[in-house]
Amino acid sequence: MSLDTLPPEILEQIAFQLATDPVLGPPAHLRALLLAGRTFYDALCVDANPVLYAGVFAAKFDRRRLWYRGPGGRGGGGGGAVGEAEELRRRCGVLGRVKARRGCYRRLEARWDSEGEGEGETREILWTAYLMMLENDGANERHLRHAGIDGWLRDFWAHADGASGVARCMSEGRWPEDGDETALGMWLFWFLFKPEKYKDDHELTRLLKMFALGAHKYPLCEPSWVDFRPPPLPPVPEHSLVPHYGARIVLRPPPLAVPAILSYLALVNRRPASSTAAHIATLATMPIPPTAPATVAVIGGASRGGECACEWGRCLALGGGGGGGDGRPFRPGSLEGVWEGMFMYSEFPAYAALLAGAAPEVLYRSSVAQHRQTWKLREYHYRRRRRGGSSCGCERWGDADADETRGEEGKKEEGEGEVGEGEMKGPLPAGNPLRGYLSPGTRVEEESGRTWIEFRRSEGAVRYVRAGEGEGEGEGQEEDGEEVQDVVVTGEGHSAWGQFNLLGRVRPCDGFITLSKIYIDGDRGEWVYRGYLVGDAYGNLAGRWRDSLTPVGEQGYEGCFAMSRRR
């Protein structure tokens, strides 16, 4: 029997086995069959048989989000066999460029050719690898490491001609610029981080220290932490749309500060004291060092939405989109429990010099102290009937506080109860960011064993229910037909400085967490902790603390922190 006479299903099975053996790398063996004759090519090429290539894609890569339709039709489409076949082609092309070390250098023309030269190539590689890690269950990471992503990232950051430009700026005594490419590169570095590979890399430690502690140059979030309900961000230009499963979608990466903090603390807390003495003034290792998502995929612990589902939701929010399913930037109930970690601070004179315009060398040379701390957190939710639109339980960018502005005629909506006497309608209004987004005069009534708390204000009281009480078992911790509109966090903890109470709120649009930390004795003052929860089952709560005396419109004294869930 001639190969030309084989039934189509047998021919496709042969092609599938060739394409997936080996699993890592492009389907190179399939090329020989395609070149064997016109009959084979016509039956097996990607245009004629996208279902075959979609099956190859599913066998090789992890896939969680097969398509996403952008807001207002922008970036819509994608998915299906055609979208997966296109994603297979694009990922294999990008991985080939990673292997050839393309896009990670700026001025080494010998390593570049005329095709794809420039910033566009670097950007596509970074976005593709980043989105692969957001979907990672192990296979995507193996493909990236097989292609040499660790070396690619090392050169991107630390080579004298690295595409990030950071090494050149550091050698010239300048602060590197903060942009989408450096943000993507730092998130990738954290997602793939293995601290044992960098334990003796002092240049990389300096780089991470600069981004982690340089709060006056590298903000935690976009838009500003000052706004609880921020105005819309500028739209993403058409040329910046991100390729994804055959579509071009609207995404923005979160800033680089949080992954830099996680990488820095994970690195210095795995070094012996002797090698860190010049770097850390008061060494106190973290009881549970931050866990990178790549490690989670190995030990198994991600939720069904993926360990990085909220990072995907955050990218959508920054891009101006909504998103259903796993498109939420914060999963209600995820802060509940006991957290252990560290807060870190640099010398006050050195930080004051930085605020006055000093070069980054001052930060490199400054001593850093760190102390352990333990938090016990509780979440309380304001819930209401879902009124359509996004099912993620989070407000869209630019939404006004509907419950504060909808007027008398809107006091009762379909599915909502009457506003009782002495009760406020809607959640708490936006408050002071230095007090965890709560307004002055707000009193919290929390009793042991009670499943709800009341916030009393002059205009009435509003009740928030403890996370998990009367809620569903799903990832959103919400009853059918209800959504969590607002999350308030309370708690207490202790450190070497004494015992303290915590009170704050989660910003609905992007999951940004702000907590006021007040020491009980009163002699240690009040501090503001701001950051994000990165990851799920093995998530890390990381960000920066700030003094509460400096006005919000001015640069204050800041340090960094990271907390891991006690298991």
Side-chain angles (χ1 to χ4, degrees), residues 47 50 59 69-71 89 93 127 134 173 266 274 290 336 346 358 393 404 427 444 455 470 526 560:
D47 291 334
R69 185 172 298 281
R89 182 201 63 77
W127 265 118
L134 292 192
S274 59
E336 280 273 333
S346 54
E404 293 178 29
V444 184
F455 294 90
E526 184 175 339
C560 61

Side-chain angles (χ1 to χ4, degrees), residues 310-322:
C310 288
E311 299 310 311
W312 165 255
R314 203 160 292 135
C315 287
L316 293 179
L318 285 167

Side-chain angles (χ1 to χ4, degrees), residues 229 401 404 426-430 438 442 455 457 462 464 486 488 505:
R229 293 183 176 89
D401 186 356
E404 293 178 29
L428 290 167
L438 295 172
T442 300
F455 294 90
R457 295 170 49 80
V462 59
Y464 281 59
D486 192 27
V488 168
R505 211 164 174 187

Side-chain angles (χ1 to χ4, degrees), residues 35-36 54 62 86 104 150 199 211 216 274 340 346-347 437 467 484 502 517 533 551:
L35 296 176
D62 300 314
E86 171 60 22
C104 61
D150 296 291
K199 62 181 181 180
F211 287 130
H216 65 306
S274 59
E340 295 179 309
S346 54
E347 300 167 305
Y437 295 130
V484 174
L502 297 160
K517 178 182 182 182
L533 177 58

Side-chain angles (χ1 to χ4, degrees), residues 48-95:
N49 200 338
V51 174
L52 167 64
Y53 292 87
V56 172
F57 176 79
K60 284 179 171 287
F61 294 98
D62 300 314
R63 50 180 192 161
R64 286 186 178 271
R65 301 166 193 98
L66 295 185
W67 70 256
Y68 163 72
R69 185 172 298 281
R74 291 186 73 206
V82 174
E84 292 182 66
E86 171 60 22
E87 188 70 8
L88 173 69
R89 182 201 63 77
R90 199 177 60 80
R91 285 191 189 184
C92 288
V94 165
L95 291 171

